[in-house]
């Protein structure tokens, strides 16, 4: 760097204007004669923390990473400096007065004081010292954009450029040990008086300012205070290194301080800082401090209390329990607690318990009749985990579908106080985390929410709110006792997160892999025998997983060979066994089978030419769902075999289940269908559920006598495919028919 005025005099404002030019030059020349200043001081970071919370740990980790020696004062002391958000902090100065004594005469020592719960360091010790020397100050304070706590002092500050920060912030300063000590011990302060005011008054005293060579870091060369400054900073990357850039001052500050009420935003930025995440190297923080369980003997696995909460009617609860039982984790190290508030789900809970109770360490259920509130139940699980010395508490809501069975080992491995798998409603932005908070502490969308929710950025993200699935380390639980009831005016999960934030127990959401998803429990009809059958609109993915044949997609693959048992009759696997069973049961439960006569009051004109014993979809309220099924699953198959015919969405008025049995209607005489094409799904098994049956296409003299359960025929209607239903000779045969595009 060339010798110039700024170099000698420090911050630019000092030698602005022609008046100072001569003086400035004189100083420059004079300094050339003297030896260049000593620049090999020791640097010691001092901070005050009364407890080791995650904010503190994050700070210490960053300091260690960049080679700083840190001395911590006050650990274990009871904090008497008021809340950090309001006036106070005199206690800090009193702790420093004691702590700094041993250093007061050290000429070779530079001290940097910083807060620790909301500070992160982002560059090396050498870079920081180099920047400090350039100020040519004896004590340099962080600066900020607002004058606090005494606004009336604003006028007393020296002027700065429009882009610069004018006011002293006491969350960070760096200086020579002697001056720092003198300044800190300058006058008494009470623990509950304000530390920032203390330093401000010293700085605004021109005599003291000059005596101790005090300056402000008005351009955020070293210290960046984020309160009222979020609009002027951005994160930048250089390969695997991340840093903050201040667009207003053009500097890259090193000590980043989330001062004031913007903690959530600070912690969000801290996800990236200290090389935590960069665009090219991805999440580097995710690879640190890992707790790998793979080498452990089963009996040494940490004990997990899995607490599941069923607070409202939830679709696909059966799968919820199947996945719970299917987790890759020794059941002998799992305790299960189930809080069930919904009588509808008692059977599913009881089934799970009877099938697996013996395998788990312990299973406890609170039944709906007990009327234990969710809040109380959630707090109880925290207490219970503490009481039984469990290592982890996993709170899992009934809407969570864990499709990745490595959930527990995967989350435990990350070694975080609270961690959640990222879960979303499939295809939606609705998720189980908030990226930011608004001023009332409710949901706000963070700048990176979309990138995280859509897996554009993968990593571990410290966020202000999590719900639905949380893994909490056992040793963090004492801080979270009663957290669900701390604020009774908000939902238990909000109350819990408020406490976690306040206690600085970090909450991370993990989207490094796909863990599962959330079902949508809204407008879930519970008046049917098999409610999920009706749920194709709300939860299309879960509906597909339960009801669509596992080989369905194969027919749509490039070059797939589709079976053609008769001329222009195509045969596809389409629905699962479960679909067939639930579907038949649903219609049998409804029970109002038609008489199989020509008089049919359900039709316009009340006349059916080729009557069957059947029930129409609209009679059980499944018509709209069925049309969706035609559109999503049947239409693509049609387009793949009857090429060139497009009709989207498919129309169908006649959608019905037909029952054949010897003593009722055993067969159907040859007929044409009023359709462009017809589908016919076999719902049960020939040779097992019934004998005989099948379908014969008269024109081709071709019969299909071995229908396969869950498979569908598709054939043209009206003209070419005159057909008949063959006689069922024993048992009951069920088929599902649609006349598509009549
Ligand atoms: C887990 O994290 C804690 C800090 O919270 C750390 O002290 C510990 O060393 C980590 N464990 C491993 C195995 O890295
Ligand atoms: C129809 O096929 C059956 C056997 O599949 C055969 O016995 C019968 O003779 C055929 N009828 C005609 C008219 O071809």
């Amino acid at each position: 760097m060339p010798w110039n005025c700024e170099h000698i005099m420090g911050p630019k404002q000092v030698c602005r204007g022609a008046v100072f030019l001569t003086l400035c030059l004189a100083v420059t020349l004079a300094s050339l004669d003297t030896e260049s200043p000593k620049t090999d001081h020791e640097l010691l970071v001092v901070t005050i923390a009364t407890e080791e919370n995650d904010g503190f740990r994050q700070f210490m980790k960053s300091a260690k990473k960049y080679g700083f020696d840190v001395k911590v004062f006050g650990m274990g002391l009871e904090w008497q400096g008021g809340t950090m958000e309001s006036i106070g902090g005199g206690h800090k100065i009193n702790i420093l007065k004691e702590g700094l004594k041993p250093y007061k005469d050290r000429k070779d020592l530079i001290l940097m004081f910083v807060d620790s719960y909301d500070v992160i360091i982002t560059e090396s010790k050498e870079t920081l010292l180099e920047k400090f020397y350039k100020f040519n100050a004896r004590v340099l304070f962080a600066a900020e954009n607002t004058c606090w706590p005494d606004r009336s002092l604003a006028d007393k500050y020296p002027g700065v450029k429009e882009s610069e920060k004018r006011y002293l912030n006491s969350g960070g300063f760096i200086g020579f040990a002697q001056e720092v000590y003198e300044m800190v011990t300058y006058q008494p302060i009470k623990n509950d008086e304000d530390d920032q005011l203390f330093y401000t008054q010293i700085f605004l005293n021109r005599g003291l300012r000059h005596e101790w060579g005090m300056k402000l870091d008005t351009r955020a060369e070293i210290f960046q205070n984020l309160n009222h400054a979020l609009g002027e900073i951005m994160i930048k990357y250089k390969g695997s290194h991340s840093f903050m850039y201040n667009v207003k001052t053009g500097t890259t500050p090193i000590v980043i301080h989330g001062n004031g009420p913007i903690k959530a935003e600070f912690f969000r930025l801290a996800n990236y800082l200290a090389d935590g995440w960069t665009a090219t190297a991805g999440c580097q923080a995710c690879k640190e401090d890992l707790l790998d369980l793979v080498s452990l003997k089963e009996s040494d696995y940490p004990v997990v209390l899995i607490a599941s909460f069923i607070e409202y009617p939830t679709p696909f609860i059966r799968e919820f329990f199947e996945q719970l039982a299917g987790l890759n984790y020794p059941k002998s190290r799992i305790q299960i607690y189930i809080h069930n508030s919904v009588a509808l789900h008692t059977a599913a809970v009881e089934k799970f318990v009877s099938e697996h109770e013996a395998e788990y360490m312990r299973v406890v259920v609170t039944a709906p009749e007990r009327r234990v509130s969710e809040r109380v139940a959630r707090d109880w699980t925290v207490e219970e985990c503490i009481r039984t010395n469990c290592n982890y508490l996993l709170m899992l809501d009934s809407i969570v579908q864990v499709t990745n069975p490595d959930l527990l080992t995967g989350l435990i491995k990350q070694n975080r106080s609270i961690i959640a798998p990222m879960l979303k409603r499939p295809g939606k932005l609705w998720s189980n985390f908030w990226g930011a908070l608004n001023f009332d502490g409710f949901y706000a969308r963070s700048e990176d929410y979309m990138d995280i929710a859509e897996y554009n950025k993968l990593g571990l993200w410290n966020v202000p709110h999590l719900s639905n699935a949380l893994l909490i380390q056992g040793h963090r639980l004492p801080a979270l006792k009663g957290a669900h009831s701390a604020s009774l005016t908000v939902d238990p999960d909000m109350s819990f997160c408020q406490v976690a934030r306040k206690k600085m127990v970090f909450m991370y959401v993990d989207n490094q892999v796909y863990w599962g998803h959330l079902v949508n429990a809204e407008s879930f009809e519970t008046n049917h025998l098999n409610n999920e059958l009706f749920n194709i609109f709300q939860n299309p993915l879960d509906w597909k997983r339960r009801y669509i044949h596992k080989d369905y997609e194969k027919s749509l693959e490039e070059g797939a060979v589709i079976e053609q048992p008769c001329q222009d009759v195509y045969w596809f696997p389409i629905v699962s066994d479960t679909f067939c069973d639930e579907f038949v049961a649903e219609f049998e439960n409804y029970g109002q089978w038609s008489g199989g006569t020509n008089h049919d009051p359900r039709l316009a004109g009340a006349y059916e030419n080729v009557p069957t014993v059947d029930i129409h979809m609209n009679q059980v309220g499944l018509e709209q769902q069925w049309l969706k099924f035609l559109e999503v699953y049947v239409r693509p198959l049609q387009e793949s075999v009857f090429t060139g015919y497009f009709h989207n969405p498919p129309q169908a008025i006649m959608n019905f289940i037909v029952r054949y049995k010897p003593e009722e209607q055993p067969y159907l005489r040859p007929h044409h269908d009023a359709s462009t094409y017809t589908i016919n799904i076999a719902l049960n098994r020939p040779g097992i559920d019934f004998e005989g049956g099948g379908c014969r296409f008269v024109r081709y003299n071709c019969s299909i006598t071995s229908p396969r359960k869950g498979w569908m025929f598709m054939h043209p209607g009206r003209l070419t495919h005159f057909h008949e239903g063959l006689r069922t000779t024993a048992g009951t045969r069920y088929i599902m028919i649609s006349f598509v595009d009549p």
Side-chain angles (χ1 to χ4, degrees), residues 24 140 317:
C24 184
L140 178 75
I317 200 90

Side-chain angles (χ1 to χ4, degrees), residues 314-496:
T314 309
F316 300 98
I317 200 90
R318 198 157 85 208
E319 284 80 355
F320 171 83
F321 281 116
E322 282 165 12
Q323 290 153 5
L324 181 56
L327 288 175
N328 286 334
Y329 202 88
K331 288 196 175 58
S332 62
R333 307 297 286 167
I334 295 178
Q335 310 179 27
I336 294 280
Y337 171 67
I338 301 169
H339 181 255
N340 180 18
S341 302
V342 185
L344 175 73
H345 294 314
T346 297
V349 172
E350 283 173 357
K351 180 167 181 288
F352 170 80
V353 172
S354 70
E355 284 173 6
H356 300 289
E357 188 169 21
E359 304 159 57
Y360 288 108
M361 287 178 78
R362 171 167 98 115
V363 176
V364 177
V365 177
T366 304
E369 306 79 68
R370 297 266 312 277
R371 299 193 179 279
V372 175
S373 77
E374 175 185 356
R375 216 181 273 283
V376 167
R378 286 190 188 268
D379 278 339
W380 181 81
T381 62
V382 172
E383 301 271 350
E384 192 62 4
C385 189
I386 296 170
R387 191 186 68 81
T388 60
N389 285 319
C390 81
N391 303 104
Y392 294 91
L393 169 62
L394 174 68
M395 289 199 271
L396 203 58
D397 294 0
S398 56
I399 54 168
V400 175
Q401 294 277 322
V402 178
T403 53
N404 184 335
D406 296 325
L407 180 85
L408 273 178
T409 46
L411 294 182
I412 287 174
K413 186 174 173 179
Q414 294 294 341
N415 188 17
R416 305 289 163 145
S417 296
I418 303 179
I419 185 169
M422 188 180 82
L423 303 163
K424 283 193 307 169
R425 286 187 187 168
K428 299 281 192 299
L429 284 172
W430 178 287
S431 77
N432 65 329
F433 77 98
W434 299 354
L437 298 173
N438 67 15
F439 285 112
D440 302 326
F442 284 89
Y443 174 86
R445 180 174 283 187
S446 62
E447 189 185 300
D448 53 7
Y449 180 83
M450 299 284 279
D451 281 333
I452 296 171
E454 300 196 318
Y455 298 95
N456 295 327
K457 286 179 175 174
L458 305 181
L460 275 179
W461 310 98
N462 184 355
V463 295
H465 182 92
L466 291 174
S467 57
N468 304 137
L470 275 74
L471 182 79
I472 310 164
Q473 291 182 333
H475 60 277
R476 301 281 180 254
L477 288 171
L480 300 167
K481 273 187 178 183
H484 298 94
S485 314
S487 173
L488 298 174
T489 53
V490 295
D491 287 346
D493 62 335
M494 263 192 79
S495 173
F496 176 88

Side-chain angles (χ1 to χ4, degrees), residues 167-178:
Y167 307 106
L168 180 143
N169 174 281
S170 63
F173 57 83
I174 179 170
F176 292 89
Q178 282 177 306

Side-chain angles (χ1 to χ4, degrees), residues 696 700-703:
R696 177 168 169 272
Y700 309 107
N701 188 26
C702 175
S703 298

Side-chain angles (χ1 to χ4, degrees), residues 15-55:
C15 51
R16 222 170 16 183
V19 185
F20 293 107
L21 193 60
T22 356
L23 171 65
C24 184
L25 269 172
V27 174
T28 306
L29 292 172
S31 74
L32 285 174
D33 294 336
T34 61
E35 275 176 53
S36 56
K38 185 165 147 16
T39 56
D40 56 353
H41 298 83
E42 216 180 286
L43 172 64
L44 179 67
V45 175
V46 296
T47 188
I48 288 168
T50 50
E51 59 172 23
E52 262 203 47
N53 55 39
D54 284 334

